Amino acid sequence: MSTQLMSHRHTQLFIPELVYFEPNALEYPKGQKIHEWAKQQGLPIRITPSHNRITNLPGESELEKYKIAKRTLVVGIRKTLKFDTSKPSAEYALPIATGCMGHCHYCYLQTTLGAKPYIRVYVNMDDILNATQQYIDERAPEITRFEAACTSDPVGLEHITGSLKEVVEFMGRQPLGRLRFVTKYHHVESLLDAKHNKHTRFRFSVNADYVIKNFEPGTSSFQERIDAAGKVAKAGYPLGFIIAPIIWHEGWEEGYAALLHRLKEAVPEESAQDLTFELIQHRFTKTAKRVIELRYPKTKLELDETKRKYKWGRWGQGKYVYPDEQADALREFITEQIFENFPKANIDYFT
Ligand code: SF4
């Protein structure tokens, strides 16, 4: 993997290098607030008619442009208020941001965002929350769950936007609405006093040491994440862990056993009573492989189709997952470790 990226691994609050505003964004209080913040930070500010029109990002090579894009913030309006579905973790994806400053080699945003890896945040929260309300009303009296981390890591951007707290508090007032999101960042302070009413499940993405060290540059360390998980649990949020991507590597059994053991030490007893796990094995598409090899040319991520099982995609191209034997071994072992350490936990799914 890129030692250069490793040495830049930082867990400071994210500060972009460049900030774009779509003109209408400045008509919203949130847009004005972010503008003020960017000015105070002394960041270069540009106006763009639309995020689609950003073509002149600095950088000599494609790789350099990519790295700069990952540190470029675009403040705009969310126009599409039709939410995507978000199985299996929720009914809908709630869009508050798109893009992420992390450099996880395996991240599916590499493919889904393609040539637009910059970070977009949306200032029209009223529109987004009104749409959320409609989705909740449509399904009443069923409960509707929303996932806020489908296209971003919203905790890592919260100091800039404050949007996640707004959604948490909105959902706290909804008898039939529930929120969940996942993060690899530990900057949770501003969310601790949110009136969540236990309607938000706060999940942390965790993994074996090997995975965090080799494939997750630019995110908070394991220790930082579990310290944050402890704080979130004390603030009364329902807590969850997503172990993803589960990666077959030399010593994986020790790695995942150690992970569960360390989680047990960190999670307060009350939270262990209502804890969820979501397990996602590593998968990749042919497109993802191509992009990853360009952007992280030295990655140790194993992307060998011949070692994988091809799983047909219902809507798009198929994915390469582990052959059944390996997938079963991973699932069984990790499940066992979970129940050994957290007998009352729920495993929501393994996929
Ligand atoms: Fe992708 Fe999450 Fe890593 Fe960000 S933190 S790069 S969203 S996997």
Side-chain angles (χ1 to χ4, degrees), residues 19 108 123 156 194 237 275 332 338:
V19 187
Y108 62 77
V123 295
Y237 281 96
L275 189 64
E332 280 164 21
I338 289 174

Side-chain angles (χ1 to χ4, degrees), residues 70 100-104 106-109 151-153 184-185 219:
K70 279 262 190 191
C100 177
M101 53 283 168
H103 273 279
C104 305
Y106 52 73
C107 180
Y108 62 77
L109 296 181
T151 52
S152 178
D153 190 313
K184 288 192 173 85
Y185 290 91
T219 63

Side-chain angles (χ1 to χ4, degrees), residues 6 17 28 86 139 160 207 221 232 238-239 242 295 298:
M6 266 311 258
E17 280 174 25
Y28 291 77
S86 176
R139 278 175 43 91
I160 302 175
N207 222 312
S221 68
V232 159
L239 188 64
I242 301 195
R295 290 180 175 167
K298 293 187 192 141

